[in-house]
Amino acid sequence: MMLNAFLPTSRIRYVFVGSAIGAAMPLLIFSAMALIDGPSAAIDLFRISPGHIATVALAAVLGMGFGHHQDRLRQRIQDLERDEQRLLYEARHDRLTGLPNRMALEQELQRFLEARDRRSATAVLLLDLDRFKSVNDTMGHDAGDELLIALSRRLAALLGETGQLFRLGGDEFVAVGGNVVDRADIVTLCQRIETDAGAPFDLLRGRVVSGVSIGVTFVEAADCGMSQILKRADLALYKAKEAFGSTHFFYSVEMATEALLDIETERDLARALQDNELFLEYQPIIGVESGAVRSLEALLRWQHPQRGVIAPGVFIPLAEKTGMILAIGRWVVKNACLEAAGWPSPTGVGVNVSGDQFKDRGFVAYVRDCLEEAGLAPGRLTIEVTESVFSVDMQVVCESLTALRAMGVRIALDDFGTGFSSINNLKMFPLDQLKIDRSFAKEMLESQRDAHLVDLMQKLSTTFQIHTTIEGIETEQQMAFVRTLGISEAQGFLISKPVPAAMVGSLLLAHPQPAALVG
Ligand code: C2E
Ligand code: MG
Ligand code: MG
């Protein structure tokens, strides 16, 4: 029989006193209630956890006499109550910062969900510290802990009465604010958090400048739990991180659609290689003066069975994220070499290589094998890397590029002008070719600034004795301007869009052939 039958409803679960007591059970319950002060204490007495209260009570009832044991029993119950309060507190709070934790957040959100008021909303802000890992790595975990404590104090003070702060773990915090009537208030709140978190922290080991990224969502009528709410805030936070942090994003339905599409794309990509759905197109790079095709850049495409042809900009980042880029990248090198070997010499081929591919320590040897297998002279292959490659591991990248170059392979720096520390890279890495990003070609006739930049990049590469290619030439006017600057090579839709491998032969026939590759 459940004790609920005897006792008033409460948030506490009651113990089921089993058949061992049998018919004495009602007596036990009533006696126990009489023993303590009123029904609420009796409820505690019979709580399942910690459990032994029922035994103590039972001993008292079964023959030892009430009066004798009453004080001891009362004391025992108080101790258990205190222990339980402490355990309950510890279960709901984070040890480091003393803030309420994930479990407390869950209960709080549940409360919001139950007491939903349609005139106002509850905002959930998921906060993630920027550069926390580097503080931990460079200054040690004590400094990391100190930073978390200092940040939590700042944020709690800022929120004051308007919201509550929780720590989920690591460098993730959640701020919950109820009764939001105007979204603009949350924007203001986010900006204040960003400013406060962005101000320097003076730690024992020195000064640290960090910052937070914020993903915001509102508790909605259809929400059924914390994980759903946090998932939305997390998608918004991801966008904030993508935008280089120290900013905030509000969740939108498009973010969920995008994430769903990413998951599907990732799944489909895993079998695209086996199912021969990937293929290469080639876009010519011509000598500006001669008009001859010097080389063709291999550009990857994916023939998706349902979605049609997908551009690399969509799936390469996913391949990089999942590590599939290693297998896909090898496939590209192999096929580009095999196809280029069929073109008239010395026409070259350019292959784009992601930074992550240099983590594959066998990559350089693999390139050598591909060249040998295809019978392609190394000088006809250009490996195109973007400046992001240098954020991988400078030493590994430098070693690989040097080894490739020693084999005779050419190295090009792609999308030049869009990355970081460009000039330094020119100095430090073995390069043969600079490809000026097409964003400059697009603006150079309208914008003086872009025209100057293109001119500057051309002069810079001449200084470093590197060939210059300009990407994205779409009009005769742009081509004429490029000619006046003395840029040696051009690529773009004006010359040709990327074409399937089968059309390269006719494309080459339509253009004069180069006498020899320069460089
Ligand atoms: P990228 O290496 O800078 O390639 C040039 C991109 O510019 C190509 O886009 C090309 O179609 C486009 N393009 C060329 N001329 C013009 C023009 O005149 N106007 C305009 N608007 N666009 C032009 P695509 O094929 O979509 O490739 C995008 C990027 O994807 C490439 O940029 C490259 O970074 C990456 N990618 C392509 N294939 C591979 C690959 O096999 N491996 C890796 N890791 N990345 C690849
Ligand atoms: Mg490229
Ligand atoms: Mg490019």
Side-chain angles (χ1 to χ4, degrees):
M1 189 190 293
M2 293 295 292
L3 286 185
N4 299 29
F6 299 93
L7 300 170
T9 331
S10 152
R11 65 192 163 81
I12 300 159
R13 291 182 180 279
Y14 310 131
V15 74
F16 175 80
V17 182
S19 57
I21 307 166
M25 192 169 63
L27 173 68
L28 166 74
I29 294 156
F30 285 121
S31 310
M33 283 171 74
L35 217 101
I36 323 293
D37 303 329
S40 67
I43 295 164
D44 283 346
L45 183 72
F46 287 98
R47 198 177 312 138
I48 263 182
S49 170
H52 23 280
I53 300 185
T55 323
V56 177
L58 196 60
V61 176
L62 297 180
M64 284 180 214
F66 289 167
H68 186 70
H69 289 284
Q70 193 164 354
D71 286 347
R72 254 192 61 205
L73 194 56
R74 203 193 295 271
Q75 185 58 47
R76 177 86 181 112
I77 288 162
Q78 277 171 1
D79 289 351
L80 287 167
E81 283 284 349
R82 218 182 22 251
D83 284 357
E84 194 151 299
Q85 289 295 334
R86 188 175 48 78
L87 286 174
L88 205 66
Y89 180 88
E90 282 177 4
R92 296 181 78 252
H93 288 79
D94 167 47
R95 256 172 203 264
L96 182 71
T97 58
L99 288 175
N101 62 10
R102 183 181 281 271
M103 185 198 262
L105 175 66
E106 192 156 353
Q107 289 165 355
E108 190 66 11
L109 287 181
Q110 198 53 42
R111 210 172 56 78
F112 277 119
L113 285 173
E114 280 159 15
R116 212 169 349 234
D117 169 3
R118 296 201 175 269
R119 281 157 305 167
S120 68
T122 299
V124 175
L125 283 64
L126 181 60
L127 315 160
D128 187 282
L129 206 56
D130 300 330
R131 295 176 287 281
F132 179 61
K133 188 176 177 305
S134 77
V135 172
N136 258 340
D137 290 351
T138 56
M139 299 175 83
H141 286 264
D142 287 350
D145 285 354
E146 206 190 336
L147 176 61
L148 291 174
I149 294 169
L151 176 79
S152 66
R153 291 209 181 118
R154 256 189 214 178
L155 294 181
L158 188 151
L159 286 172
E161 300 291 304
T162 59
Q164 206 179 344
L165 189 66
F166 302 79
R167 180 178 176 223
L168 293 193
D171 59 341
E172 267 193 347
F173 295 83
V174 166
V176 175
N179 300 323
V180 181
V181 251
D182 192 350
R183 190 180 155 118
D185 294 342
I186 298 298
V187 174
T188 312
L189 176 65
C190 287
Q191 286 164 345
R192 289 184 57 202
I193 293 177
E194 282 152 31
T195 310
D196 270 27
F201 289 92
D202 284 313
L203 308 180
L204 288 172
R205 287 178 165 237
R207 177 167 278 209
V208 165
V209 179
S210 183
V212 289
S213 305
I214 312 172
V216 188
T217 188
F218 291 96
V219 175
E220 288 174 0
D223 283 329
C224 51
M226 180 166 96
S227 66
Q228 200 181 10
I229 297 167
L230 284 188
K231 207 176 278 170
R232 286 203 308 265
D234 201 34
L235 285 171
L237 176 65
Y238 181 73
K239 286 280 165 198
K241 287 273 175 200
E242 241 183 7
F244 298 110
S246 296
T247 185
H248 59 273
F249 270 71
F250 282 78
Y251 165 80
S252 70
V253 180
E254 291 74 42
M255 288 180 191
T257 320
E258 213 178 284
L260 213 67
L261 197 65
D262 276 3
I263 293 168
E264 277 175 20
T265 312
E266 239 174 76
R267 193 196 53 210
D268 293 352
L269 188 59
R271 47 140 200 78
L273 199 56
Q274 295 154 8
D275 293 1
N276 288 323
E277 289 169 10
L278 299 181
F279 66 99
L280 293 171
E281 284 195 330
Y282 295 91
Q283 189 181 29
I285 297 170
I286 61 162
V288 170
E289 286 308 326
S290 65
V293 176
R294 294 237 174 113
S295 65
L296 293 108
E297 177 175 4
L299 294 161
L300 190 59
R301 273 89 182 93
W302 175 12
Q303 180 68 56
H304 189 282
Q306 282 87 39
R307 289 160 62 190
V309 176
I310 304 183
V314 175
F315 66 89
I316 293 280
L318 290 179
E320 288 172 344
K321 202 176 88 188
T322 55
M324 282 187 270
I325 192 68
L326 299 188
I328 291 176
R330 282 185 170 218
W331 181 92
V332 173
V333 173
K334 188 181 187 111
N335 283 274
C337 287
L338 287 171
E339 274 164 350
W343 306 338
S345 181
T347 312
V349 66
V351 170
N352 293 287
V353 173
S354 300
D356 289 342
Q357 289 179 253
F358 293 102
K359 290 181 192 157
D360 169 4
R361 295 313 289 251
F363 181 68
V364 174
Y366 183 80
V367 174
R368 184 188 295 117
D369 293 348
C370 289
L371 288 167
E372 268 174 29
E373 188 191 337
L376 189 74
R380 289 176 64 191
L381 174 66
T382 301
I383 296 286
E384 295 192 8
V385 295
T386 63
E387 284 167 277
S388 66
V389 83
F390 304 117
S391 60
V392 177
D393 179 338
M394 289 287 241
Q395 200 181 341
V396 171
V397 173
C398 198
E399 275 168 22
S400 306
L401 293 184
T402 309
L404 285 166
R405 207 150 175 263
M407 273 160 51
V409 173
R410 300 173 80 244
I411 309 292
L413 191 55
D414 204 357
D415 304 344
F416 186 64
T418 56
F420 301 104
S421 63
S422 316
I423 295 176
N424 200 30
N425 295 339
L426 292 189
K427 209 173 72 189
M428 289 178 64
F429 291 93
L431 293 174
D432 300 276
Q433 189 182 352
L434 257 190
K435 297 186 78 177
I436 300 175
D437 190 66
R438 72 176 134 98
S439 55
F440 295 98
K442 195 161 174 259
E443 301 291 328
M444 66 187 174
L445 296 186
E446 285 82 39
S447 148
Q448 276 274 319
R449 179 185 158 274
D450 283 34
H452 283 315
L453 283 173
V454 172
D455 189 32
L456 196 71
M457 287 187 258
Q458 150 71 5
K459 292 200 168 92
L460 204 65
S461 52
T462 311
T463 311
F464 286 99
Q465 296 174 319
I466 299 168
H467 288 284
T468 323
T469 305
I470 185 154
E471 304 181 293
I473 297 301
E474 295 183 354
T475 66
E476 291 290 357
Q477 289 86 336
Q478 288 169 340
M479 192 65 160
F481 184 67
V482 164
R483 210 168 274 129
T484 62
L485 294 180
I487 291 174
S488 57
E489 293 177 353
Q491 176 179 8
F493 292 172
L494 175 70
I495 301 141
S496 167
K497 288 198 166 178
V499 298
M503 283 176 62
V504 172
S506 50
L507 190 139
L508 289 176
L509 284 177
H511 286 81
Q513 296 295 298
L517 261 187
V518 187

